[in-house]
Amino acid sequence: MTHFLHTADWQIGRQYGQFETDDAAMLAEARFDVVARIAALAAERAVDAVLVAGDVFDTQGVSDRSIRRLFAAMTAYAGPWVMIAGNHDAALADSVWSRAMQLGCIPANVHIPLRTGVVDLPQASMAVLAAPLTQRHTYDDVTQAFDSLESAPGRVRVGLAHGSVAGRLPDNVDATNPIAPDRAARARLDYLALGDWHGCLSIDERTWYAGTPEQDRFRGNEPGHVLDVRIAAPGAMPQVERVAVGRYRWSAWTEAVSLPTDAQALAGRMAALRSEDVLRLDVQGHVNMETWEALQRAVDQAAAQVRALLPDLSGLRLEPDDADLAELRASGYVGEVAAQLQAMQGDTAQAAVAGEALRLLLRFQRESVAPGAAK
């Protein structure tokens, strides 16, 4: 029985510029944390090896400290690691990998092949046919070499590559770094471990994308896993188990609000969010002032309880109801200004400014007529 973990797309050093500084720092830190969890899982399950299918680093320019921290995070598992370069960290002449070697921080149990070839792991009865990328983009199938690579008799043959399986990935047209969909069969592979697609995806029974172990974008394609793979003997069908290891859950909500009950329902959903949630919220529709303020309170409360929240209320139009207009004394000058601002919300270029001005006008007028307000 050969038993290993398949993971990919760690993207160490990734930046999250769309978030607040504190949130971005925590999301970046989570990428180191999940590597430590993978190492602990490998030790706990006593696997024969851990295979990392490219994009270990997000850029070639990660700091020396990040390189050292990455290898330090792997120390819980003392067995063999095999990791290859992907398109983000291609094995160029001067690369993040050459820096790691110069720093002397790569442990002896970590194999980093910089050219296509076979990494033989006799204790695991496994031969890893590795195809690291040596440039960011190529239109040649680097796994074609697997067809002619030989391995020692009795070894389970496992391919390790980074790229796009032709015609099998969503949103993938004329992709670079192509991989033939039948490569496992052509190269007599018992399993083909792939990276590049950030979701967990089975191409066929022997060909899998592990996906990124820590979700990093608003796409519901089953990220946040590693794959536990067991192969009884050469030629046997692999048994693949998805193991959840990610911490944060990224969601994107697009909501239409027109009634107070719509806002109440949305507020209830946001109240159920927890510290592991990262939410992008796009709200559209039209509401009165009371509903808009209630919704804003719900957004503010959610922002305090989730890891990160990116709200966009620019598509939410304020339409004063009779009570709002009564507060504005709609028959006077203030009412005329309110009517103009309300109309301006229909102009895309002016909608955001007009909506904010109308909300401020309503709030100011409400406060000026409140009992005890200054005369």
Side-chain angles (χ1 to χ4, degrees):
M1 171 72 72
T2 296
H3 181 199
F4 59 91
L5 295 185
H6 166 202
T7 179
D9 299 287
W10 291 354
Q11 313 293 149
I12 296 298
R14 176 161 186 156
Q15 302 296 307
Y16 297 92
Q18 71 269 46
F19 296 100
E20 296 290 338
T21 302
D22 290 349
D23 293 330
M26 292 298 293
L27 293 172
E29 187 67 18
R31 311 207 73 77
F32 292 98
D33 294 342
V34 77
V35 172
R37 285 197 294 278
I38 292 170
L41 179 69
E44 176 188 338
R45 297 196 172 199
V47 300
D48 298 314
V50 180
L51 308 186
V52 190
D55 280 2
V56 174
F57 298 96
D58 192 56
T59 70
Q60 300 283 7
V62 297
S63 68
D64 290 353
R65 179 171 182 266
S66 291
I67 296 173
R68 289 190 174 97
R69 289 191 64 203
L70 179 278
F71 289 108
M74 297 162 53
T75 55
Y77 176 65
W81 299 75
V82 183
M83 52 176 56
I84 60 170
N87 59 307
H88 281 252
D89 54 4
L92 310 174
D94 184 14
S95 71
V96 63
W97 301 106
S98 61
R99 276 200 294 136
M101 292 174 185
Q102 291 165 9
L103 291 170
C105 59
I106 303 175
N109 62 318
V110 178
H111 304 269
I112 304 174
L114 299 180
R115 294 292 181 270
T116 298
V118 178
V119 177
D120 191 39
L121 301 176
Q123 291 184 336
S125 299
M126 176 169 60
V128 180
L129 285 63
L133 292 181
T134 57
Q135 54 187 315
R136 185 173 176 86
H137 299 302
T138 177
Y139 291 92
D140 297 324
D141 184 348
V142 295
T143 67
Q144 185 173 352
F146 291 174
D147 297 0
S148 57
L149 286 178
E150 296 299 328
S151 54
R155 298 283 196 269
V156 168
R157 286 169 61 89
V158 178
L160 185 63
H162 189 90
S164 303
V165 175
R168 299 298 299 273
L169 296 182
D171 308 322
N172 210 32
V173 180
D174 296 328
T176 56
N177 310 318
I179 295 173
D182 59 347
R183 180 60 63 206
R186 288 192 200 181
R188 311 177 314 282
L189 300 177
D190 296 295
Y191 184 86
L192 178 53
L194 297 178
D196 193 29
W197 181 249
H198 278 212
C200 186
L201 179 66
S202 171
I203 300 299
D204 59 40
E205 291 177 306
R206 296 189 185 274
T207 305
W208 285 76
Y209 284 94
T212 183
E214 184 65 56
Q215 189 169 359
D216 59 355
R217 59 189 69 175
F218 296 103
R219 179 178 284 176
N221 56 2
E222 295 192 69
H225 297 83
V226 297
L227 297 177
D228 181 306
V229 184
R230 301 169 190 261
I231 303 175
M237 197 60 67
Q239 300 174 3
V240 182
E241 177 191 358
R242 304 183 191 203
V243 183
V245 292
R247 176 177 180 182
Y248 293 115
R249 178 182 61 187
W250 294 47
S251 305
W253 297 355
T254 299
E255 305 292 331
V257 175
S258 58
L259 299 171
T261 52
D262 297 333
Q264 291 166 6
L266 177 56
R269 290 178 63 198
M270 286 192 288
L273 296 171
R274 293 295 176 260
S275 60
E276 293 78 23
D277 284 297
V278 178
L279 176 65
R280 184 178 66 198
L281 176 65
D282 178 13
V283 184
Q284 302 177 4
H286 52 87
V287 294
N288 63 11
M289 185 64 177
E290 182 179 2
T291 302
W292 191 94
E293 290 184 332
L295 187 56
Q296 185 62 62
R297 287 194 298 271
V299 169
D300 292 342
Q301 180 59 42
Q305 64 194 45
V306 300
R307 175 63 277 156
L309 175 62
L310 296 177
D312 182 359
L313 306 185
S314 62
L316 191 61
R317 181 171 174 173
L318 180 59
E319 293 188 356
D321 59 14
D322 291 342
D324 294 330
L325 293 173
E327 289 184 350
L328 286 172
R329 302 169 183 171
S331 59
Y333 173 73
V334 174
E336 294 177 8
V337 172
Q340 291 177 9
L341 291 172
Q342 187 172 351
M344 289 169 62
Q345 291 183 108
D347 182 344
T348 303
Q350 304 180 88
V353 173
E356 180 62 18
L358 186 53
R359 286 189 288 273
L360 289 172
L361 182 61
L362 278 164
R363 188 174 296 118
F364 174 78
Q365 190 69 5
R366 178 181 298 172
E367 292 172 354
S368 67
V369 301
K375 301 296 185 184

